[in-house]
Amino acid sequence: MVTLIIGKKGSGKTKKLIALANETAVASAGNVVVLEKGAKLTYDITHKARLIDTDSYAISGYDMLFGFLSGLCAGNYDVSDILVDSTFKICPTAVDGLEEFIAKINKLAKDSDTKFTFLISAAESELPEGLKAICHEI
């Protein structure tokens, strides 16, 4: 399952991600992973979730992010949830390529039985029509 939490900058998406990550880490029988750009969530995310700074691995763009997420799923079958903050900062091409990326992530989610949540700094009207069914606007 793939979910997009969308909203303009300053709408509270990261606060929602922090709450979701902490709740999921407590309730999940598997491992919860949170990806962020920069180390700004270090004290907000529970130690029960694995927090990864994408800058530490030089991740930039949808192809690199997909490869990294695939590696996380392949390397640990216990990953139940992956949450990604600031998707457009990690993938600077923003909307270009997002629909294709999400289609690949959808297949990965089904194959690995992992839930993915991405924070997207955009209004629903700015996103491709094919993604609107999985969007939750803040």
Side-chain angles (χ1 to χ4, degrees):
M1 183 171 101
V2 179
T3 303
L4 304 179
I5 298 175
I6 62 170
K8 290 292 193 180
K9 184 175 180 168
S11 62
K13 295 180 304 298
T14 300
K15 286 182 183 178
K16 174 81 173 167
L17 173 109
I18 292 167
L20 184 61
N22 290 336
E23 291 167 10
T24 304
V26 170
S28 177
N31 296 322
V32 176
V33 179
V34 179
L35 273 72
E36 64 173 331
K37 181 158 179 73
K40 62 185 180 292
L41 301 178
T42 304
Y43 300 106
D44 297 317
I45 301 293
T46 179
H47 69 279
K48 294 178 182 178
R50 170 75 192 266
L51 185 61
I52 298 173
D53 177 6
T54 58
D55 288 341
S56 298
Y57 299 94
I59 299 168
S60 178
Y62 290 118
D63 287 338
M64 289 181 77
L65 182 57
F66 179 75
F68 191 80
L69 294 173
S70 296
L72 286 174
C73 293
N76 185 349
Y77 293 113
D78 292 335
V79 173
S80 61
D81 298 84
I82 297 177
L83 300 95
V84 181
D85 188 25
S86 304
T87 305
F88 285 170
K89 288 182 181 177
I90 298 167
C91 304
T93 57
V95 177
D96 296 336
L98 179 62
E99 194 166 16
E100 180 183 334
F101 171 72
I102 295 299
K104 290 173 22 179
I105 290 294
N106 223 351
K107 182 176 179 343
L108 177 62
K110 289 175 186 165
D111 292 346
S112 64
D113 195 27
T114 303
K115 296 176 193 165
F116 288 88
T117 303
F118 294 90
L119 268 61
I120 305 288
S121 290
E124 187 174 332
S125 61
E126 299 172 310
L127 297 176
E129 200 62 39
L131 297 178
K132 293 184 179 180
I134 59 171
C135 292
H136 299 283
E137 194 157 12
I138 298 290

